[in-house]
Amino acid sequence: MENDDINLVVNATNTNAVTGGNVLDEGRVGTNGLQTKGIHVWFGKHHVLEDISLDFPANSVTGLIGPSGCGKSTFLRVLNRMHEFIPGAAMAGEVFLDGEEIYGPKVDVTAMRLKVGMVFQKPNPFPSMTIAENVLAGLKLANIKVQDKDSLLEECLTRAGLWKEVKDRLKLSGSSLSGGQQQRLCIARALAVKPKVLLMDEPCSALDPASTLKVEETIVQLSADMTIVVVTHNMQQAARVSDFCAFFLSDGGPGQVVEADRTAVIFSSPSDQRTADYVQGRFG
Amino acid sequence: MSIATVEKPTAAEPPRRSITNQRNASDKRFRAVVTSGAMFAFVVLALIAGFLLFRGYEVFREFGFGFLTSSTWDSGTGESLQGASYGVAAMLVGSIIVALMAMIIALPFVIGTSLFLEYYIGKKIRAVLVSILDLMAAIPSIIYGLWGYLVLMPHAAGWASTINKYFGWIPIFKVDVKNFDASPFISALVLGLMIIPIASSVTREVYSRAPQDQISAAYALGGSRWGALKAVVLPFGRSGLIGGMLLGLGRALGETVAVLLTLNLVFKVKFQVLASAGGNVASLIASRFGEAGPSEIKALMAAGLVLFTLTLLVNFGASIIVSRSAKVSQ
Ligand SMILES: Nc1ncnc2c1ncn2[C@@H]1O[C@H](COP(=O)(O)OP(=O)(O)O)[C@@H](O)[C@H]1O
Ligand SMILES: [Mg+2]
């Protein structure tokens, strides 16, 4: 096994699996969800992430927590190959989506990104498009034809918790909405291409408390049939929405996963003292 | 010490204080420099208009609106306007046709060049190519004209003949006489090439400022590079593209020497763009000025005023379009 003892792994089927040694359950590879094995990332010579092996079971929410700069966003980008747009970025390791390598030689990256959607920290609707066009933008970008656009539009906006607020102004520009609404519009846009996985990088950090609650509700509802990975700096949020948590930390060197387990375990009885200190707000 | 409570004004409101502001000396001096500089530019513009109006006034009095609608150019005895007959219709229409065609020819190259430079090549090659592009914008138009005349025309006449052969049934591609040299088409090719660098330079600059987070969003939605450019960069850069193209249009409308070399001036309104006959106000002035008598000089001044007004109108329209589409892409 190539994983060393600090890489602990989330496992849906075996809740007690996280102590000490390596727990990546071989049986899980090849089943549903997202797995990473031995992920390293470099920006030029700067080694940013070291040997991250995590397992994100299907239809669950996993929170990535840790102080800023430890590589959470970078790790998230590796999960849908968005880091490839950063000049000088390089990675090693493997990422499996439903058992298939997304870095394989025959993989069509754009098709893969349709399955692994992303919501960014700052809401980024397309300002030149209307609200409706924004939601359906992914279909147009990927040349996907749908029979009934109106019902898809309503479905996505409803799932993103925005339908009631915008149903009478679908023809207005996407930038006419408030920040919280724009973020939910971006979630609706990501949903329209029916991804299996949704990656969210601090989706609420630019939002007010009321919008934050709405987005959190949305996350919980979406996880019924979607695998969600969400980076958050807000411990309450991690506790509220996630089923599993992975604690990232960099002690000057590359970022590593200190501990990963069920959220309840991370918050009540973490096995590493540093995790306990972080979730109780003693550093970071 | 105690703090006095401020009494609410009961009846009359107190007088509002005016903004007082003591400008210091260096601020005053700078203000004077900036103001006089700006005024100077306006004064020069007004003087040019006044000069043209003064010199061309008699022509407008003599021929009235007919100066714009007639196409005869006959200096008669050459001494007085009586007995002469002047009209710039053919030249005016020709100027507009050539400039518009140049824009149509340049547009795809401008978009392609700008996108290529900004999104398809690395930083180092980009720096080299951008400086070459800027260099091209600085090539004098006489060079473009000579190249157009000596190198391009023999080939382009052949292309025109081919277009005529297959698309001659479209009215503007018809020709009465099979002479394809020195046509509006060839002039427009030269002008189009001439305005690509300047228009691309402006457009590329704006494309480079397209928001990265929206481009990322397009990629994350499964968009290809072209998809991301179409969804984000093109709409964002539209005002820049329009601005760049109109800058080019301004240059194309007023271009004199390159057109003079590549266009056969004919005093007849023509819409057959492949035929060896066209019009152009600026080239008319340049070609006749040397040997014009007193009355023709006046007519040329009046033609200058027409060109001046046309360019002002185009630029005015341009700024309206640019500010409108800038609002849309906010
Ligand atoms: N585009 C980039 N180029 C170079 N280094 C980067 C880039 N983005 C992030 N980094 C570096 O990678 C490390 C991890 O960053 P990031 O993944 O953004 O952390 P987090 O999201 O946990 O705050 C940091 O040390 C940061 O300086
Ligand atoms: Mg981050």
Side-chain angles (χ1 to χ4, degrees):
Chain A
M1 279 282 41
E2 60 194 72
N3 306 298
D4 62 50
D5 60 5
I6 42 170
N7 288 289
L8 310 170
V9 169
V10 178
N11 193 309
T13 50
N14 182 354
T15 57
N16 301 320
V18 186
T19 44
N22 185 289
V23 287
L24 179 67
D25 185 341
E26 283 297 320
R28 283 236 2 114
V29 174
T31 59
N32 289 337
L34 198 64
Q35 291 90 33
T36 72
K37 269 175 123 185
I39 298 290
H40 290 253
V41 177
W42 297 265
F43 287 118
K45 290 206 174 98
H46 184 190
H47 197 172
V48 171
L49 280 175
E50 185 176 37
D51 201 15
I52 312 287
S53 298
L54 285 173
D55 184 353
F56 307 95
N59 308 339
S60 68
V61 181
T62 304
L64 306 184
I65 57 174
S68 52
C70 63
K72 305 178 298 295
S73 300
T74 305
F75 178 69
L76 206 64
R77 286 204 198 94
V78 167
L79 298 181
N80 70 345
R81 298 181 61 168
M82 284 295 288
H83 74 284
E84 292 173 359
F85 294 107
I86 303 172
M91 66 84 71
E94 293 163 299
V95 178
F96 297 94
L97 173 62
D98 293 344
E100 293 197 27
E101 243 270 76
I102 69 166
Y103 284 88
K106 294 222 175 80
V107 171
D108 174 356
V109 186
T110 55
M112 181 275 293
R113 290 205 189 100
L114 288 175
K115 291 189 220 151
V116 188
M118 192 164 208
V119 175
F120 296 79
Q121 187 167 355
K122 197 174 133 242
N124 53 3
F126 300 124
S128 60
M129 300 183 192
T130 65
I131 291 171
E133 285 167 349
N134 259 288
V135 175
L136 303 173
L139 302 171
K140 206 171 154 200
L141 279 164
N143 277 322
I144 300 173
K145 299 270 178 294
V146 271
Q147 293 295 320
D148 192 353
K149 282 189 177 168
D150 289 343
S151 65
L152 178 69
L153 184 64
E154 179 171 349
E155 182 201 324
C156 294
L157 284 169
T158 306
R159 290 178 79 193
L162 191 60
W163 174 250
K164 283 202 198 93
E165 287 155 71
V166 302
K167 66 173 189 290
D168 298 322
R169 42 179 176 152
L170 295 170
K171 293 251 152 49
L172 290 184
S173 159
S175 48
S176 67
L177 298 173
S178 76
Q181 291 173 322
Q182 287 187 13
Q183 191 63 302
R184 280 176 281 146
L185 177 61
C186 292
I187 294 175
R189 180 176 67 182
L191 296 177
V193 294
K194 312 257 178 207
K196 293 183 172 164
V197 179
L198 197 56
L199 310 173
M200 307 174 104
D201 192 353
E202 301 185 44
C204 302
S205 68
L207 306 190
D208 60 283
S211 302
T212 300
L213 274 182
K214 284 215 163 118
V215 172
E216 286 180 8
E217 275 170 30
T218 304
I219 293 174
V220 171
Q221 282 163 12
L222 292 178
S223 68
D225 54 4
M226 215 181 257
T227 311
I228 295 178
V229 184
V230 51
V231 174
T232 176
H233 274 132
N234 180 330
M235 288 306 112
Q236 283 86 30
Q237 182 170 74
R240 277 194 299 264
V241 304
S242 69
D243 305 311
F244 305 96
C245 265
F247 174 48
F248 281 63
L249 188 62
S250 141
D251 47 4
Q256 298 167 330
V257 173
V258 171
E259 187 169 359
D261 207 322
R262 288 201 163 265
T263 303
V265 176
I266 292 284
F267 278 86
S268 58
S269 51
S271 55
D272 195 293
Q273 186 57 39
R274 292 171 293 175
T275 314
D277 288 346
Y278 182 78
V279 297
Q280 283 158 27
R282 282 202 283 270
F283 78 89
Chain B
M1 267 183 66
S2 70
I3 300 163
T5 47
V6 180
E7 265 182 46
K8 257 192 173 174
T10 42
E13 283 185 31
R16 289 163 203 204
R17 303 204 46 170
S18 58
I19 298 168
T20 52
N21 184 7
Q22 240 346 293
R23 295 200 185 100
N24 68 24
S26 70
D27 191 18
K28 272 184 195 155
R29 247 174 291 147
F30 186 66
R31 198 185 172 83
V33 170
V34 173
T35 311
S36 54
M39 291 321 289
F40 183 72
F42 282 112
V43 167
V44 168
L45 198 70
L47 281 177
I48 292 175
F51 163 76
L52 291 171
L53 200 61
F54 174 70
R55 298 291 296 268
Y57 161 73
E58 274 180 71
V59 176
F60 287 108
R61 201 184 47 189
E62 186 70 27
F63 303 109
F65 208 61
F67 185 68
L68 293 179
T69 54
S70 128
S71 289
T72 47
W73 196 267
D74 175 9
S75 51
T77 59
E79 287 305 315
S80 87
L81 286 174
Q82 268 84 33
S85 173
Y86 296 115
V88 286
M91 299 297 118
L92 199 56
V93 170
S95 277
I96 295 169
I97 287 177
V98 171
L100 284 183
M101 280 176 71
M103 305 270 290
I104 293 168
I105 292 166
L107 184 66
F109 293 99
V110 170
I111 297 176
T113 308
S114 310
L115 288 180
F116 175 76
L117 286 174
E118 215 43 59
Y119 294 100
Y120 284 86
I121 49 170
K123 255 199 196 129
K124 280 180 198 150
I125 312 174
R126 180 190 310 153
V128 174
L129 290 183
V130 165
S131 49
I132 292 178
L133 193 71
D134 289 343
L135 214 67
M136 279 168 65
I139 295 177
S141 56
I142 179 77
I143 307 289
Y144 279 99
L146 283 175
W147 175 81
Y149 178 74
L150 295 172
V151 182
L152 183 69
M153 191 156 8
H155 298 283
W159 308 336
S161 154
T162 311
I163 296 174
N164 172 256
K165 192 165 143 202
Y166 294 105
F167 297 100
W169 47 272
I170 303 173
I172 57 166
F173 294 140
K174 239 200 289 216
V175 292
D176 295 332
V177 184
K178 290 221 182 279
N179 178 2
F180 299 102
D181 280 338
S183 64
F185 168 70
I186 293 174
S187 256
L189 275 180
V190 175
L191 285 193
L193 283 177
M194 224 171 88
I195 62 178
I196 288 171
I198 179 84
S200 305
S201 178
V202 174
T203 308
R204 184 192 68 82
E205 187 68 38
V206 177
Y207 281 178
S208 75
R209 274 183 270 132
Q212 192 57 49
D213 61 332
Q214 287 169 32
I215 298 176
S216 294
Y219 282 132
L221 281 168
S224 60
R225 181 173 303 206
W226 169 233
L229 295 181
K230 212 165 53 170
V232 180
V233 178
L234 290 184
F236 174 86
R238 210 178 49 198
S239 64
L241 178 65
I242 295 173
M245 288 306 292
L246 288 170
L247 203 66
L249 177 64
R251 195 169 173 194
L253 268 178
E255 178 48 41
T256 309
V257 106
V259 177
L260 194 60
L261 283 168
T262 52
L263 184 64
N264 184 19
L265 290 184
V266 170
F267 290 96
K268 188 158 183 250
V269 177
K270 290 236 180 195
F271 295 96
Q272 301 181 345
V273 298
L274 299 178
S276 176
N280 192 277
V281 180
S283 298
L284 167 81
I285 298 172
S287 66
R288 311 290 294 201
F289 195 80
E291 56 230 51
S295 87
E296 192 173 1
I297 290 277
K298 285 176 189 154
L300 291 176
M301 290 300 158
L305 186 64
V306 170
L307 183 62
F308 181 78
T309 314
L310 179 67
T311 322
L312 274 190
L313 284 179
V314 165
N315 281 320
F316 189 63
S319 53
I320 292 177
I321 296 174
V322 170
S323 66
R324 266 218 203 121
S325 59
K327 250 181 235 145
V328 171
S329 64
Q330 276 305 298

